[in-house]
Amino acid sequence: SQSSTYAPFACGSPVCRQLGPYGNGCAAGSRQCQYRVLYPDGRSTMGTYISDVLRLNPTSVIGGFQFGCSHAVQGHFPNDTAGIMALGRGAQSLASQTRLTYGGVFSYCLPRTASYSGFFVLGVPRVAATRYALTPMFAVPQAPMLYLVRLRAIVVAGQALAVPPAVFAPGSVVDSRSVITRLPPTAYAALRAAFRARMGMYRAAPPKQQLDTCYDLTGVRRVALPTITLVFDHSAAVELDPSGILYNDCLAFAPGTDDRAWGVIGNVQLQTYEVLYNVAGGAMGFRRAAC
């Protein structure tokens, strides 16, 4: 509120009304538009919905950028977190509000550990298109803000799992906020069986929360993991980095609730890959060993 270009929206303004389920009434006395966002993991943030100038770098300035100025959060947020950057299809996201400047394209690369550097890029990357494994991206009316792709097969140590194509038919949400990938139960059972069969030389350990295939790797210098490749529509193959196979010494996948529900591709599986969202072109790309 100390910014000279700070501009809160009035309660009855069109912008405030367009918040829909994120609207949180009106601030008593000030008549300023309030918002509240509840995230799937139980965290929430609420405050005043405003606009201001967003300066991305010395030459890229977005005027009238709309965002929530938080007054209260619930749940655990890392101490160095200033906020949550929305990148979905919704009108309020950074990707949507900068579409005219950056063409509806963005990408990111999440590193395997904090010792490596990742990146986030708005706009078409300066990398040849042939370096990406490309697959169509689609949306559905019941969840228009999400990015969905179609997983066609999972290959373990060179062998495709015997999973009927219909199991993958609903599609999978690519969600950078989710940690662990959730597969249709039938696909997860096949993956777990194939993985356990190739990890018999290691001591089994008790499950850790939703992860049920864990190992005691105490004293093991080098773990020989079977390769796991996710194959998306148009034969876009993503061979997982080893950091995307084990998480806390457990198979980094979990079953979803139902074969008819969407799967979720989490951020652990895509570590070291540049994930390219060409929203305008309806495509998603994967470039291996990018960070």
Side-chain angles (χ1 to χ4, degrees):
S1 61
Q2 301 304 307
S3 167
S4 62
T5 46
Y6 165 90
F9 289 101
C11 297
S13 66
V15 168
C16 192
R17 290 196 298 268
Q18 288 171 6
L19 289 179
Y22 304 119
N24 196 35
C26 197
S30 67
R31 302 293 300 166
Q32 293 178 352
C33 181
Q34 302 295 292
Y35 78 93
R36 181 172 185 261
V37 179
L38 178 64
Y39 295 97
D41 57 10
R43 295 182 298 175
S44 68
T45 174
M46 63 184 71
T48 304
Y49 198 63
I50 72 167
S51 72
D52 207 331
V53 176
L54 174 65
R55 189 179 300 275
L56 294 168
N57 60 43
T59 60
S60 182
V61 179
I62 309 298
F65 181 75
Q66 301 174 14
F67 64 101
C69 189
S70 180
H71 303 319
V73 297
Q74 292 180 338
H76 174 70
F77 288 81
N79 292 334
D80 57 353
T81 298
I84 293 178
M85 181 170 65
L87 294 171
R89 298 180 189 269
Q92 296 87 7
S93 81
L94 176 66
S96 296
Q97 290 194 62
T98 59
R99 184 182 293 112
L100 293 179
T101 303
Y102 295 105
V105 179
F106 67 92
S107 66
Y108 57 77
C109 186
L110 304 177
R112 61 172 63 93
T113 70
S115 301
Y116 295 83
S117 294
F119 59 82
F120 170 69
V121 176
L122 280 167
V124 177
R126 298 176 182 176
V127 177
T130 53
R131 299 277 302 278
Y132 296 89
L134 296 172
T135 191
M137 183 168 62
F138 65 99
V140 290
Q142 58 269 43
M145 298 183 186
L146 300 179
Y147 300 107
L148 285 96
V149 294
R150 295 198 187 281
L151 187 62
R152 292 298 187 187
I154 301 175
V155 180
V156 178
Q159 297 293 317
L161 301 180
V163 178
V167 169
F168 296 124
S172 296
V173 179
V174 180
D175 183 13
S176 61
R177 188 181 62 245
S178 294
V179 178
I180 299 299
T181 288
R182 291 191 175 273
L183 297 172
T186 297
Y188 175 73
L191 171 63
R192 179 177 61 185
F195 186 77
R196 286 179 175 178
R198 290 165 176 81
M199 292 288 285
M201 71 287 287
Y202 301 110
R203 294 186 299 273
K208 298 178 181 178
Q209 297 179 327
Q210 77 266 36
L211 304 179
D212 64 7
T213 300
C214 303
Y215 298 90
D216 180 358
L217 300 176
T218 305
V220 179
R221 289 189 175 183
R222 183 179 178 276
V223 182
L225 294 173
T227 59
I228 296 180
T229 302
L230 305 180
V231 183
F232 297 97
D233 212 1
H234 287 198
S235 300
V238 176
E239 181 180 324
L240 304 186
D241 184 81
S243 65
I245 297 175
L246 283 186
Y247 182 79
N248 289 341
D249 295 336
C250 301
L251 176 63
F253 291 81
T257 56
D258 192 302
D259 279 352
R260 294 168 296 181
W262 302 317
V264 177
I265 308 298
N267 63 51
V268 165
Q269 276 63 45
L270 297 176
Q271 285 177 167
T272 75
Y273 270 85
E274 180 182 9
V275 185
L276 173 68
Y277 295 71
N278 183 347
V279 184
M284 181 173 290
F286 307 94
R287 179 170 69 92
R288 66 181 305 171
C291 65

